[in-house]
Amino acid sequence: MKNIKCVIEARMGSKRLPKKTMKFLNKKFRLIDFVILNALSSRYFNLKNIFLLTSNNKNNQKLINHVKKKYKIKVIKGPEKNVYKRYDFFKKFKNIPLVRLTADNPLVDPYLTDRFVDYFLKYKTDYLTTRAMEHSKKWKAKSDFPKGISIEMFMSKKLFINEKKFNKKIQESPTWFFFNKKFKAKVSKFPSFDIYKNFTYRKTLSIDTKKDYLDVRQFIKDNSCKPGSNNIYKYLKKNIKKDN
């Protein structure tokens, strides 16, 4: 299956941690650098099929300038709160697989991404996720991955089928209809493999608050994490016996 695209949702207007997307996670790389470089290191993605989805608010201009200058990937702007509307760009494609990443999660390593996409293509599902959906009444599956190791993938045709039903309450969650199983679609949870089986990392690797940011920075420092490498997988493999 060709025409796979990767979308990275990012903005500067976070209420709990403003401007977090451009904060440095080490001396050289910012949060957005980690997300983009990790995606670029997957064998499925390159500068032509990765897209930054952000809002048209002026406070995102620093982020946009940084991404355009350093990576030259395409930037798509849309409403601040209606994240779903930012995906309108992809309507011009008939029906393509979209991989969804967010700038909250800088440590999704390329090895996991490749395994994830392989699985999606092999089993021809409509929606695949590593995420836990305990807040959904229709989805009771728990994630087998540390919090912050989050990837979603879906067919674009299925994303737009419920366009008229999106209201203000769910506009910030483009995949809401998938994990609430509100229409006919093949929905799957990505199964754990190898070292991830029965393993739960004790701290979040997602950055939502200042504490999260400091914890992830420390994790990166302690484990010499560099964007574009399989550092997370290697760390877990090295420490799983001790942690468990």
Side-chain angles (χ1 to χ4, degrees):
M1 188 180 292
K2 298 180 180 179
N3 250 342
I4 300 175
K5 312 293 184 188
C6 176
V7 296
I8 299 173
E9 293 177 14
R11 64 190 178 96
M12 298 284 276
S14 170
K15 293 181 179 180
R16 288 183 288 181
L17 186 60
K19 302 179 181 179
K20 66 180 179 183
T21 310
M22 288 291 285
K23 288 185 177 295
F24 281 94
L25 294 183
N26 60 19
K27 292 182 179 180
K28 186 177 180 180
F29 296 106
R30 302 171 189 267
L31 194 162
I32 192 62
D33 294 322
F34 268 80
V35 179
I36 292 175
L37 288 172
N38 281 337
L40 283 171
S41 295
S42 163
R43 54 186 161 85
Y44 284 102
F45 304 121
N46 53 56
L47 294 174
K48 293 182 179 180
N49 66 357
I50 295 178
F51 300 80
L52 179 76
L53 267 63
T54 190
S55 83
N56 46 29
N57 279 15
K58 292 181 179 179
N59 63 353
N60 290 307
Q61 198 57 51
K62 183 178 179 180
L63 167 65
I64 293 170
N65 292 343
H66 174 77
V67 169
K68 283 186 173 181
K69 183 179 179 180
K70 191 168 184 177
Y71 303 105
K72 296 180 174 60
I73 64 175
K74 187 172 182 62
V75 176
I76 300 170
K77 294 187 287 185
E80 174 75 10
K81 293 185 178 181
N82 190 348
V83 180
Y84 177 81
K85 196 68 177 173
R86 299 180 203 170
Y87 283 83
D88 277 359
F89 172 84
F90 298 100
K91 287 181 179 178
K92 64 182 181 181
F93 302 99
K94 288 185 178 180
N95 189 28
I96 59 170
L98 293 175
V99 173
R100 182 192 183 212
L101 302 174
T102 69
D104 299 332
N105 305 315
L107 296 176
V108 177
D109 69 66
Y111 177 70
L112 176 59
T113 300
D114 287 342
R115 291 282 297 257
F116 185 87
V117 177
D118 287 343
Y119 186 96
F120 182 92
L121 298 178
K122 180 179 180 179
Y123 292 99
K124 298 180 180 179
T125 186
D126 293 315
Y127 173 79
L128 181 67
T129 182
T130 62
R131 296 175 60 189
M133 299 296 179
E134 290 94 335
H135 59 283
S136 169
K137 294 180 180 179
K138 298 291 184 69
W139 183 293
K140 298 300 181 182
K142 294 184 178 181
S143 176
D144 298 319
F145 299 88
K147 186 179 178 182
I149 306 301
S150 178
I151 318 175
E152 294 175 87
M153 189 170 182
F154 47 86
M155 299 304 299
S156 61
K157 185 178 180 179
K158 290 291 185 178
L159 178 71
F160 298 123
I161 199 170
N162 287 296
E163 182 174 14
K164 293 181 180 180
K165 298 180 182 179
F166 268 85
N167 55 45
K168 290 184 179 180
K169 291 182 179 180
I170 58 176
Q171 285 174 348
E172 291 189 38
S173 303
T175 53
W176 187 89
F177 278 93
F178 285 113
F179 59 77
N180 279 285
K181 299 182 179 180
K182 291 291 186 178
F183 65 106
K184 189 176 180 180
K186 186 178 179 181
V187 176
S188 305
K189 185 191 78 168
F190 182 58
S192 61
F193 62 93
D194 198 1
I195 58 167
Y196 288 110
K197 289 185 177 179
N198 302 316
F199 178 82
T200 303
Y201 187 69
R202 288 162 175 74
K203 288 186 178 181
T204 180
L205 294 174
S206 180
I207 300 178
D208 294 310
T209 64
K210 185 176 181 179
K211 183 181 184 305
D212 296 340
Y213 168 65
L214 296 175
D215 285 343
V216 173
R217 271 183 62 100
Q218 190 62 48
F219 181 95
I220 288 171
K221 181 180 179 180
D222 291 343
N223 298 285
S224 302
C225 292
K226 296 178 181 179
S229 66
N230 295 324
N231 289 92
I232 303 306
Y233 181 81
K234 290 177 180 177
Y235 169 80
L236 295 178
K237 193 169 186 178
K238 179 181 177 182
N239 294 281
I240 184 168
K241 291 182 179 179
K242 181 174 65 177
D243 287 351
N244 276 347

